[in-house]
Amino acid sequence: MIFKETATPTSKARQNWHLWKSSFGKKSLIGIPWLWMAIFFLLPFLFILKISLSEAALLQPPYLPFIREVEDGLVTLVLNFSNYMLIFEDPLYWKALLNSIEIAAIATLLTLMLGYPMAYAIAKAPAAWRLPLLMLIILPFWTSFLIRVYAWIGILKNNGLLNQALMGMGIIDQPLEILYTQAAVYIGLVYTYLPFMILPLYATLIRMDNTLLEAAADLGCPPWKQFLTVTLPLSMPGVIAGSMLVFIPVMGEFVIPDLLGGPNTLMIGKLMWTEFFNNKDWPVASALAAVLLLVLIIPFVLWQHFEQRQQAMEEKS
Amino acid sequence: MRRSLPLLTVLLFGYAFLYGPILSLIIYSFNESRLVTVWGGWSTKWYGELLQNEQILAAAWLSIKIAFISASLAVVLGVMASMALIKFKRFKGRTSLRLMLAAPLVMPEVIIGLSLLLLFVSMEEVFGWPEGRGQTTIILAHMTFATAYVTVVVTSRLAHFDFSLEEAAMDLGAKPIKVFFTITLPLIAPALLAGWLLAFTLSLDDLVVASFVSGPGATTLPMVVYSSVRLGVSPEINALATIIVLLVSVAVLIAGIVMFRQEKQRQRELN
């Protein structure tokens, strides 16, 4: 009886209606977020490209349109590459770019050196401790980033807490100059980006098969060698993911070099900010953004490649 | 036990590094002296001054409003994106959707801010909307990057989701929308809460993107904090920081306890 009923034309129509509805549901489920991100995330990069090719002007908005009347009635497309030429000719810009790469690379290395042992220690902690220990890593990330950077000003100042403590203990008799130097920038960067390094590292370390270590131990491998030949290579996906999560955003960092670094700390994100807000030169700021984007595509693709491989591995197991 | 001593030292050092600066802010927020690094005795006068600073209060209210709206909308978009990515393994545009949701996690804020501003300016030229910049443009911007973060949180929860529950409900005749609201949504609610809180704090915290896309009329809390920090350290900021740290700690603690309990319950059910 029941089977017969499903074969009647009316229920067939209902089935079709359901099919249509579910495919419509599927389309909107995929389509709405896709369209949103395409319009508000992807499309804007085309505008960066567009403005970077236009000329700055004392207008509102402060640039000349592409297609405009050059002389009476003569409408032409004016592409202006001078913003890019300026970046490659003026040492200020390409030095800022090289400096950003250097600072981001060193900061990533320092974060890794502090983050790896911490992630390792949390992964090796008793199971009941792990969640609270991880929460303690994430907690500062939830509190205001700006205020955490600001806290370091009070610590690193010439008459700040660090110098007061060191002088009080008699270790130094002259205050160390740390604030407004490169060192302060590194401290700030490592401090704020540490969770981004620890979390992916922890995720790979906790998933690791401990029997491999036991096997190595059974074969007479000392602990340090176990670490170097088993743990470290197996945690490479975490090392790479963490490094990319730190390196890419640090390249464009603005707040930390601005508040903790001196006038000599030249980074491309800070320069973009200055060109945009102080010099009101939108086209040059856009050209800088375009160059920065171009530089960051390589590490981004690398990161995505490793993420996808890890996901595929997880789905297999 | 002796072998774990170095690890314990590493953890202690690491946590001291993470919490030292925050602790110093809290202590100095009760400092009587105007000089931030000179101790002048305990006092709560900066809290009083903070509560009378109308500029900070107005900015805080605006920030909370923006964060509330953008986090709520980002959760809707993020849940849709996660459902699409988890439920449908193959569809046209899957890779591009995945990349567009991953890129905002690492994209430098200056680029997001500048690119969105240029989009809004061009949109205004062509459509006449959004008129000028302010609250609306900040909400649109925050929604966009927060969606990426919400998607990460919700996707990791949905990856362990038992879809046979949905199928069972469907077999019993429930329509897809009803299944979503009565089965799926309650089960992934903790992840939604975590995602919402993350989106909320990200929005509340954002200085760079908001500075680019806001107009003269809309000044958010981080913008006020940034300008007062640049002008010189003001002790009121310590009081403000302490209040933020306190609120966030309470929120995270509650979220942590909820998730911890759920995890325990899930493990009990599995056994």
Side-chain angles (χ1 to χ4, degrees):
Chain A
M1 270 302 276
I2 298 164
F3 293 110
K4 244 181 187 167
E5 252 183 24
T6 51
T8 57
T10 39
S11 66
K12 192 103 187 210
R14 194 182 294 156
Q15 248 177 7
N16 282 342
W17 163 245
H18 267 301
L19 261 176
W20 181 82
K21 226 170 67 171
S22 73
S23 89
F24 174 75
K26 178 181 171 179
K27 274 188 187 132
S28 51
L29 206 57
I30 296 166
I32 293 172
W34 194 92
L35 265 181
W36 184 275
M37 294 313 284
I39 293 172
F40 289 102
F41 187 73
L42 210 55
L43 183 66
F45 295 139
L46 291 181
F47 286 97
I48 284 193
L49 212 59
K50 181 189 149 196
I51 311 298
S52 72
L53 292 172
S54 58
E55 265 173 79
L58 283 172
L59 292 170
Q60 195 53 258
Y63 52 85
L64 292 172
F66 264 179
I67 297 166
R68 60 172 191 264
E69 251 182 41
V70 182
E71 280 166 51
D72 293 321
L74 184 67
V75 178
T76 27
L77 177 73
V78 188
L79 287 185
N80 173 26
F81 288 95
S82 66
N83 302 312
Y84 288 96
M85 299 295 282
L86 183 73
I87 292 174
F88 290 107
E89 274 164 11
D90 192 334
L92 175 76
Y93 297 105
W94 53 260
K95 267 188 186 155
L97 185 66
L98 291 180
N99 221 7
S100 300
I101 295 175
E102 190 193 314
I103 290 177
I106 293 174
T108 307
L109 205 67
L110 293 173
T111 317
L112 184 64
M113 276 158 53
L114 182 62
Y116 199 103
M118 285 186 77
Y120 187 80
I122 298 173
K124 291 280 171 230
W129 286 30
R130 284 180 210 144
L131 190 68
L133 284 174
L134 270 185
M135 292 286 283
L136 282 175
I137 296 284
I138 305 168
L139 191 67
F141 170 78
W142 293 79
T143 65
S144 171
F145 158 77
L146 193 56
I147 279 170
R148 278 181 292 137
V149 174
Y150 156 78
W152 279 102
I153 298 179
I155 294 173
L156 298 177
K157 281 202 314 189
N158 278 0
N159 56 353
L161 291 174
L162 183 67
N163 276 319
Q164 279 180 16
L166 288 177
M167 286 201 286
M169 286 188 284
I171 297 172
I172 49 168
D173 23 63
Q174 281 261 315
L176 295 173
E177 250 178 68
I178 308 174
L179 190 61
Y180 308 130
T181 67
Q182 204 101 311
V185 176
Y186 285 126
I187 292 173
L189 288 172
V190 172
Y191 181 69
T192 40
Y193 285 93
L194 195 60
F196 296 94
M197 183 62 88
I198 292 180
L199 294 179
L201 277 174
Y202 171 81
T204 49
L205 284 170
I206 201 73
R207 251 185 263 130
M208 219 164 59
D209 190 356
N210 272 324
T211 54
L212 292 171
L213 287 177
E214 280 162 26
D218 284 348
L219 295 171
C221 188
W224 63 269
K225 211 173 168 187
Q226 283 172 32
F227 178 78
L228 282 183
T229 55
V230 182
T231 312
L232 197 60
L234 282 176
S235 63
M236 269 331 262
V239 171
I240 288 169
S243 299
M244 292 306 144
L245 286 176
V246 175
F247 182 84
I248 304 174
V250 168
M251 274 290 288
E253 187 54 60
F254 156 73
V255 179
I256 296 170
D258 186 57
L259 291 181
L260 300 179
N264 300 327
T265 319
L266 206 55
M267 283 184 82
I268 195 128
K270 202 175 143 185
L271 210 56
M272 255 184 75
W273 181 281
T274 319
E275 287 295 346
F276 183 86
F277 285 106
N278 303 6
N279 304 344
K280 302 264 188 289
D281 195 337
W282 291 21
V284 166
S286 304
L288 280 172
V291 171
L292 182 57
L293 262 175
L294 205 68
V295 173
L296 289 180
I297 279 179
I298 303 161
F300 178 72
V301 170
L302 211 70
W303 171 54
Q304 277 303 300
H305 174 75
F306 275 94
E307 283 286 286
Q308 211 150 23
R309 228 175 52 174
Q310 211 168 5
Q311 237 174 27
M313 255 161 49
E314 251 172 63
E315 268 161 32
K316 240 186 257 168
S317 63
Chain B
M1 206 54 221
R2 201 163 0 121
R3 262 181 63 194
S4 64
L5 199 65
L7 292 182
L8 211 63
T9 322
V10 162
L11 279 183
L12 278 178
F13 175 74
Y15 286 112
F17 177 63
L18 280 177
Y19 285 91
I22 297 173
L23 217 63
S24 78
L25 275 187
I26 295 175
I27 294 169
Y28 275 87
S29 74
F30 295 105
N31 186 6
E32 170 77 36
S33 164
R34 169 157 274 283
L35 295 163
V36 175
T37 43
V38 179
W39 188 253
W42 294 91
S43 142
T44 52
K45 79 169 180 199
W46 300 115
Y47 289 88
E49 301 239 332
L50 182 72
L51 291 176
Q52 276 161 12
N53 188 326
E54 267 167 41
Q55 195 198 7
I56 286 185
L57 291 183
W61 175 235
L62 179 72
S63 280
I64 289 170
K65 213 162 52 175
I66 288 173
F68 189 87
I69 298 172
S70 60
S72 308
L73 294 173
V75 165
V76 175
L77 275 177
V79 168
M80 290 178 94
S82 325
M83 296 282 275
L85 287 173
I86 290 284
K87 281 192 134 171
F88 312 120
K89 286 292 168 203
R90 266 169 222 284
F91 58 84
K92 224 173 115 189
R94 186 184 154 89
T95 312
S96 53
L97 181 63
R98 234 179 46 83
L99 288 179
M100 286 191 295
L101 287 166
L105 305 178
V106 287
M107 185 66 62
E109 291 166 307
V110 273
I111 295 185
I112 297 185
L114 180 63
S115 68
L116 273 167
L117 170 71
L118 298 176
L119 173 81
F120 291 141
V121 169
S122 306
M123 274 168 71
E124 195 185 357
E125 269 174 45
V126 179
F127 307 113
W129 185 88
E131 242 178 287
R133 283 166 295 283
Q135 201 180 314
T136 316
T137 47
I138 302 176
I139 289 173
L140 289 173
H142 284 183
M143 260 178 85
T144 304
F145 69 72
T147 298
Y149 284 87
V150 173
T151 307
V152 173
V153 175
V154 178
T155 308
S156 66
R157 173 78 189 173
L158 276 179
H160 305 288
F161 187 75
D162 186 2
F163 281 103
S164 60
L165 292 169
E166 279 193 345
E167 281 156 27
M170 226 103 81
D171 283 347
L172 294 171
K175 296 219 168 79
I177 301 229
K178 191 165 183 197
V179 173
F180 177 75
F181 280 105
T182 54
I183 309 281
T184 321
L185 202 61
L187 284 171
I188 60 168
L192 296 196
L193 181 71
W196 189 90
L197 278 174
L198 183 60
F200 185 82
T201 42
L202 282 170
S203 166
L204 209 58
D205 200 19
D206 167 62
L207 163 73
V208 177
V209 176
S211 298
F212 274 101
V213 299
S214 93
T219 310
T220 61
L221 189 59
M223 287 151 97
V224 176
V225 172
Y226 174 66
S227 59
S228 71
V229 168
R230 286 211 76 186
L231 288 176
V233 183
S234 106
E236 284 167 39
I237 300 298
N238 287 338
L240 180 70
T242 305
I243 293 173
I244 292 178
V245 169
L246 199 77
L247 289 178
V248 167
S249 309
V250 170
V252 171
L253 202 69
I254 292 171
I257 290 170
V258 168
M259 287 215 277
F260 185 67
R261 274 202 186 152
Q262 283 233 333
E263 190 64 29
K264 258 194 162 170
Q265 200 177 356
R266 207 170 64 179
Q267 267 164 10
R268 223 179 291 139
E269 277 162 10
L270 283 176
N271 290 331

